[in-house]
Amino acid sequence: MLKLGVLVSGGGTNLQAILDAVDHQVIKTAEVGLVISNNAGAYALERAKNHDIPAVCISPKNFENREEFHRALLDELQKNKVDLVVLAGFLVAVPPMIVEAYPNRIINIHPSLIPSFCGTGFYGLRVHEGVLDRGVKVTGATVHFVDAGTDTGPIILQKAVEVAEGDTPEILQRRVMEEAEWKILPEAIDLIANDRVQVVDGKVRISR
Ligand code: GAR
């Protein structure tokens, strides 16, 4: 059984999609063992507690400097023997210290079709604002492994979503979540938990 450590910052609808997939046995060989939020007010923490899953807040505000905050995050993951780290709306840059401890063992969901609308400054609603400002007709979501860069790691799954006339960032965000994020994030976890994902020359191969 693969033990997931899910890192969150906000509402936690992607965490909920993972919990639902485990409950409904869409994911059979992984379980959520730990939820960490950098934000004490994150509703995602309530979702974890409602499922009797250990949920902790590790906030940078409680540490003298960034390095101590990063060390505390890593300690919590290691103490709980997490196998796969899942960034599910975690709006903190993951430092090299953690990336190096979990090579190709950290995945992230990003609400666009990478390499569009990603990188520094593109997170949450800002991504969808960028999409609407540019006027693209198709957007979507991407699950990728996390490497040292921002949204640069090997791509595991992507799903396209149409932009509609009259979309606001909020409406588009919801459609991207419903049609793409909540599907491909559990799917990627299931693939990894079943040992079907390999990284070869920086690219993901999925065995069917
Ligand atoms: C999601 O749309 C996720 O893709 C995005 O934050 C939202 C979190 O929602 N993540 C990023 O922008 C990361 N760059 P949630 O808390 O309801 O899952």
Side-chain angles (χ1 to χ4, degrees):
M1 195 59 88
L2 196 77
K3 188 167 180 179
L4 308 175
V6 184
L7 273 52
V8 296
S9 297
T13 64
N14 278 287
L15 167 66
Q16 190 65 52
I18 300 166
L19 294 170
D20 290 348
V22 172
D23 285 352
H24 299 140
Q25 303 223 327
V26 175
I27 296 175
K28 294 198 186 79
T29 49
E31 62 191 1
V32 180
L34 171 70
V35 172
I36 303 177
S37 173
N38 62 307
N39 162 19
Y43 184 65
L45 289 170
E46 299 305 313
R47 296 182 192 269
K49 286 177 194 154
N50 292 340
H51 261 77
D52 290 327
I53 291 164
V56 292
C57 169
I58 300 180
S59 164
K61 292 182 195 150
N62 299 332
F63 297 89
E64 295 240 313
N65 54 49
R66 231 37 210 179
E67 167 137 20
E68 283 185 24
F69 165 57
H70 294 154
R71 168 66 52 200
L73 278 176
L74 181 58
D75 284 351
E76 193 67 28
L77 293 168
Q78 290 180 331
K79 193 175 79 189
N80 284 276
K81 300 197 169 20
V82 162
D83 300 308
L84 180 71
V85 180
V86 180
L87 309 183
F90 187 58
L91 304 182
V92 170
V94 175
M97 185 198 293
I98 298 182
V99 175
E100 283 157 21
Y102 291 91
N104 290 336
R105 288 272 128 185
I106 306 176
I107 63 171
N108 179 47
I109 177 83
H110 183 78
S112 76
L113 294 174
I114 289 175
S116 291
F117 308 104
C118 64
T120 308
F122 280 113
Y123 58 87
L125 267 184
R126 292 185 185 203
V127 175
H128 306 292
E129 285 164 4
V131 164
L132 294 176
D133 281 350
R134 184 62 184 86
V136 296
K137 304 300 184 198
V138 177
T139 182
T142 302
V143 183
H144 63 93
F145 284 115
V146 173
D147 65 7
T150 305
D151 302 328
T152 51
I155 291 170
I156 306 167
L157 292 175
Q158 293 189 299
K159 191 164 191 299
V161 174
E162 288 197 6
V163 179
E165 198 72 30
D167 271 350
T168 62
E170 290 79 6
I171 290 172
L172 184 57
Q173 179 182 51
R174 182 76 191 180
R175 188 177 320 113
V176 169
M177 285 176 160
E178 281 176 359
E179 293 184 11
E181 295 186 45
W182 301 341
K183 294 182 176 163
I184 63 174
L185 184 56
E187 191 182 336
I189 292 168
D190 188 54
L191 288 169
I192 294 168
N194 286 298
D195 228 1
R196 288 171 56 192
V197 178
Q198 251 188 306
V199 180
V200 182
D201 294 335
K203 294 185 188 70
V204 165
R205 268 195 209 155
I206 298 177
S207 51
R208 300 278 171 191

